[in-house]
Amino acid sequence: MSLGSAIALTTRRVLDPVEGMHRAIAGPWFAAAGPVGKPLQSVHDTTSGIVYDSIRLAGTAIGLVLDAGVRL
């Protein structure tokens, strides 16, 4: 396995459980907030999803750049 592929894979393998834990911890708090919790959770989940997806994309992009041998 190349270094770039290892970085991309490691990013996903670390981030997936972290994101799951984040949602598991946050979920009960939104549920406890009652009716106002649903829209707040929607905004939270969308925002945090964008952040986690951006980190995954960065890990993949760094891996591709390293595998391609591009000098920055």
Side-chain angles (χ1 to χ4, degrees):
M1 176 180 289
S2 67
L3 176 61
S5 295
I7 288 172
L9 180 62
T10 301
T11 301
R12 284 192 307 275
R13 287 199 176 164
V14 168
L15 212 56
D16 288 350
V18 170
E19 182 179 16
M21 186 172 21
H22 180 157
R23 289 180 187 267
I25 291 169
W29 290 97
F30 291 116
V36 76
K38 275 292 184 198
L40 291 174
Q41 185 173 15
S42 178
V43 171
H44 169 270
D45 289 350
T46 300
T47 304
S48 63
I50 290 169
V51 171
Y52 285 115
D53 288 344
S54 297
I55 295 169
R56 281 186 199 90
L57 179 61
T60 300
I62 290 168
L64 290 171
V65 166
L66 286 174
D67 284 348
V70 175
R71 297 181 76 83
L72 299 175

